[in-house]
Amino acid sequence: MDSIQSTAEIEQHPDVALVHSARSGDVQAFETLVRKYDRQIFRIAQHITQNREDAQDVVQDAFLKAYEKLDQFQGNSKFYTWLVRIAVNESLMRLRKRRTGKMVSIDEDVVTEEGSVPRDLADWSPNPEQNYSQTELAEILRKTIQGLPLGFRVVFQLRDVEGMSTEETAETLGLSVPAVKSRLLRARLQLRERLSRYFRKKKAGER
Amino acid sequence: MLDELIDGTLAAETRAQLEEHMHGCEHCEVTLNTTRKTIEIYRSHEVYELPASIRDRLHAAIMARCKNGC
């Protein structure tokens, strides 16, 4: 029953009609898909490569590869999930090129206790982001997430920010569901711990 | 169980028990609230923005290649 329902849901997704049209040569339909997802693909590529030029190249290469392979898109996953998988692979390839000799893998498990036992237990000020300008805040958020291991920051981005399900995240990254859950929890706790430095309530006398 | 509480995937009974515990435990309450806030802040702020000019350039490049059959 579940599988019948989910197939029906996928068939109703507006992307499916666009993919069909693009496959039969309607370039405008593909352009609609590019406009719809380019920002997300750029963000994901930036989180993996941590390099602006590489991320821009990934956007271009991922969409071109998707266009070339449209016939191979089975429709048993969402177009977006399929596209993200292509973008993740392109991003990893770029990262490997830059870091020749260094291990680059989302699957690499990082043993770390950081964040799992909260050290900074101070509560945050109400709306702590209001203490910073938009530019300062973006810089804090960027710096903080960049410090996380690759597998943690990508899982956090896909699952919590881009809103993919645990199963979709696992499928996209080639990880097991328990591995996604464990990375997500550790990513959340580490980010929380690191952001506490900026957002915690100041004690009397502190700046 | 923190992640399940955040994601709302806990059984009602377990959830109720945990929430009761949390009322008396500042440690848990702070951890849960600030972790939720962490997710919310990352969701509502663009960390990496694609500038409009670069976006247009990328679109043009992608579409030019698609029109030529890649």
Side-chain angles (χ1 to χ4, degrees):
Chain A
M1 189 67 187
D2 274 347
S3 68
I4 295 169
Q5 271 181 345
S6 58
T7 310
E9 275 169 26
I10 289 166
E11 274 170 7
Q12 284 161 8
H13 198 287
D15 288 354
V16 175
L18 289 168
V19 170
H20 277 305
S21 306
R23 251 187 214 159
S24 45
D26 180 355
V27 182
Q28 291 311 106
F30 190 69
E31 190 166 9
T32 308
L33 290 166
V34 174
R35 290 199 170 275
K36 193 168 170 188
Y37 295 123
D38 59 348
R39 291 190 190 90
Q40 286 98 313
I41 297 300
F42 176 73
R43 284 199 293 262
I44 293 163
Q46 268 264 278
H47 278 291
I48 297 176
T49 63
Q50 299 194 322
N51 178 289
R52 184 162 275 272
E53 282 166 25
D54 279 352
Q56 290 169 14
D57 288 345
V58 168
V59 172
Q60 187 167 331
D61 292 351
F63 278 109
L64 288 174
K65 197 161 259 184
Y67 189 74
E68 275 172 28
K69 291 184 168 181
L70 272 184
D71 283 339
Q72 292 171 32
F73 173 64
Q74 298 290 323
N76 48 9
S77 62
K78 285 182 195 158
F79 172 75
Y80 174 60
T81 317
W82 183 72
L83 178 68
V84 170
R85 195 158 54 224
I86 297 175
V88 167
N89 288 334
E90 290 290 319
S91 304
L92 288 173
M93 251 169 45
R94 300 248 159 208
L95 190 61
R96 285 187 189 114
K97 257 190 217 165
R98 273 194 194 271
R99 297 187 182 173
T100 40
K102 281 192 193 164
M103 180 156 159
V104 173
S105 169
I106 285 177
D107 201 16
E108 182 189 1
D109 200 7
V110 184
V111 183
T112 163
E113 288 300 310
E114 190 195 339
S116 54
V117 183
R119 278 189 296 264
D120 195 335
L121 284 173
D123 202 358
W124 291 1
S125 11
N127 305 315
E129 65 270 43
Q130 286 173 5
N131 297 329
Y132 299 92
S133 72
Q134 284 296 317
T135 325
E136 284 171 335
L137 184 65
E139 183 58 27
I140 289 170
L141 296 178
R142 248 195 316 272
K143 249 183 14 202
T144 303
I145 199 164
Q146 275 176 356
L148 254 55
L150 174 64
F152 289 19
R153 55 178 198 264
V154 180
V155 166
F156 178 80
Q157 181 65 24
L158 295 187
R159 179 68 186 68
D160 275 346
V161 183
E162 306 296 343
M164 283 173 127
S165 70
T166 305
E167 289 72 19
E168 285 169 340
T169 306
E171 192 197 325
T172 305
L173 300 178
L175 293 171
S176 67
V177 166
V180 167
K181 285 186 176 172
S182 131
R183 281 165 176 72
L184 180 65
L185 177 63
R186 288 186 285 168
R188 285 170 169 176
L189 291 174
Q190 285 191 20
L191 288 173
R192 185 206 79 87
E193 187 84 25
R194 290 167 185 222
L195 286 182
S196 276
R197 256 179 268 162
Y198 304 96
F199 295 159
R200 66 195 193 56
K201 266 186 199 156
K202 304 275 187 267
K203 292 181 197 120
E206 274 184 340
R207 263 198 79 229
Chain B
M1 236 177 264
L2 178 72
D3 50 342
E4 287 167 318
L5 201 57
I6 291 170
D7 295 332
T9 52
L10 274 183
E13 196 186 338
T14 321
R15 190 183 178 88
Q17 282 171 354
L18 261 184
E19 278 172 353
E20 198 187 318
H21 161 78
M22 291 207 358
H23 277 302
C25 179
E26 202 191 334
H27 176 154
C28 284
E29 207 170 358
V30 166
T31 306
L32 181 68
N33 290 342
T34 51
T35 307
R36 277 194 176 133
K37 184 75 188 168
T38 298
I39 299 168
E40 190 199 310
I41 288 182
Y42 271 101
R43 249 183 221 160
S44 54
H45 293 86
E46 197 80 75
V47 175
Y48 295 119
E49 252 177 297
L50 184 57
S53 57
I54 294 172
R55 198 173 172 222
D56 290 345
R57 184 171 60 73
L58 286 172
H59 282 180
I62 294 167
M63 297 325 293
R65 295 268 297 275
C66 289
K67 280 171 190 155
N68 291 326
C70 280

